[in-house]
Amino acid sequence: MSRSQSTRGAVVAVTGGAHGIGRAIACRFAAAGAHVAIGDTDLAAAQEVADQPGLHAYGLDVTDTGSFTDFLDAVRRDLGPVDVLVSNAGLMWVGSFDEEPESAARAQLSVNLLGVINGIKAAAPAMRRAGHGHLITVASAASLLPTPGEATYAATKHGVLGYLKAVRMELRGSGVEVTAVMPAVVDTTLAAGTGTGSAPLLQPTDVARAVVAAADRPRFEVTVPAYIGPLTRMVNLLPQAMRDRLFGTMVPDQVTEVRAEARAGYEGSFTTSRPARPAAGSAAAE
């Protein structure tokens, strides 16, 4: 899609579209008149969402390049060339960096970072040949902020933003737009049991609204709420000590705020057990 074009009639592919933010994005695009392909590992849930008009369900594992190729091939066969790819699939483990299981770190890197890379590599060449298209990635405010308790998650989101910056420069003049949407904490299973800091708790529809607006009028960096972007840029001009104090008031410390019991079911779906924290005054075995 080119600048200031309507999404009506566009073919939109959304990864991780069966739940949470992805589901809200898919439904909002469909309501705007787009033909929407939901790709998700949970095909049954995707098919439930696809009962609504304008929505179509497909199985997709973003960590598997063959699965991504098959997904996009099926979408092109059923709906036509993909105008917009929304990379939304993501995982988050929360807690102290030195207590994070290796399986959790690997899962986040595979889905959050390599999943985005796989999708862009699979979708961008056809868009470039066609002379139009839009690569939209749901990153996170963690792409910009220091986020204690989300070290690996933040690393993947910083990596996504860096990757998109480079891809955007490579695609200049091709007609293919690139957008990073970076929301604060959203009321989804991924964020269950976490704090929000000074920002309000967002709803999936807030992010969906920003994504569809960016598709209609492309911009590279979109933060939700909008003030996070300019505020972060201003704070980063200050000396480190002042930055630390201000970010400390803005950003939740998930090491101390997380309610691990509220996350056990979700994190257990992609990782081994959370290591037990030693009781106060006791010595951990080495």
Side-chain angles (χ1 to χ4, degrees):
M1 295 178 67
S2 61
R3 288 188 175 274
S4 301
Q5 284 196 357
S6 171
T7 56
R8 180 166 297 279
V11 174
V12 180
V14 182
T15 74
H19 302 279
I21 294 172
R23 177 173 181 157
I25 291 170
C27 291
R28 191 168 185 91
F29 268 116
H35 307 289
V36 184
I38 296 171
D40 205 292
T41 54
D42 190 347
L43 180 57
Q47 289 171 333
E48 288 184 12
V49 180
D51 281 343
Q52 303 176 51
L55 296 166
H56 309 264
Y58 301 84
L60 170 64
D61 177 357
V62 298
T63 69
D64 185 322
T65 56
S67 178
F68 228 126
T69 298
D70 291 345
F71 167 60
L72 293 179
D73 284 347
V75 174
R76 294 184 187 108
R77 181 190 65 234
D78 296 343
L79 305 178
V82 176
D83 298 298
V84 182
L85 171 66
V86 181
S87 297
N88 165 77
L91 301 172
M92 183 171 73
W93 187 92
V94 177
S96 176
F97 73 89
D98 54 350
E99 295 182 354
E100 179 186 48
E102 181 181 353
S103 56
R106 290 185 179 277
Q108 290 170 95
L109 287 164
S110 295
V111 174
N112 300 359
L113 180 54
L114 290 176
V116 170
I117 293 171
N118 290 341
I120 288 177
K121 284 184 173 180
M127 292 181 177
R128 181 156 48 185
R129 288 193 297 271
H132 68 89
H134 199 161
L135 303 165
I136 303 177
T137 300
V138 179
S140 169
S143 303
L144 303 170
L145 300 169
T147 53
E150 301 174 2
T152 299
Y153 178 79
T156 65
K157 297 303 184 178
H158 275 71
V160 162
L161 184 57
Y163 184 77
L164 295 177
K165 287 178 178 179
V167 169
R168 176 176 175 269
M169 294 300 287
E170 291 189 36
L171 291 174
R172 281 188 308 171
S174 69
V176 181
E177 301 285 351
V178 178
T179 296
V181 178
M182 296 171 281
V185 181
V186 185
D187 186 12
T188 63
T189 304
L190 179 145
T194 64
T196 64
S198 61
L201 180 65
L202 300 172
Q203 296 302 314
T205 51
D206 297 321
V207 184
R209 188 180 305 112
V211 168
V212 176
D216 283 335
R217 187 172 293 276
R219 290 186 294 147
F220 176 54
E221 292 189 14
V222 177
T223 54
V224 188
Y227 67 77
I228 289 179
L231 181 59
T232 300
R233 287 191 288 272
M234 286 190 294
V235 173
N236 279 328
L237 296 174
L238 300 174
Q240 185 67 58
M242 294 181 66
R243 269 183 278 168
D244 289 345
R245 285 196 296 273
L246 287 170
F247 281 136
T249 64
M250 293 166 53
V251 181
D253 183 343
Q254 305 294 13
V255 176
T256 58
E257 294 192 30
V258 67
R259 292 179 287 111
E261 69 280 1
R263 299 186 58 75
Y266 165 72
E267 291 181 355
S269 68
F270 64 87
T271 187
T272 55
S273 300
R274 176 185 292 269
R277 190 185 294 268
S282 67
E286 296 185 354

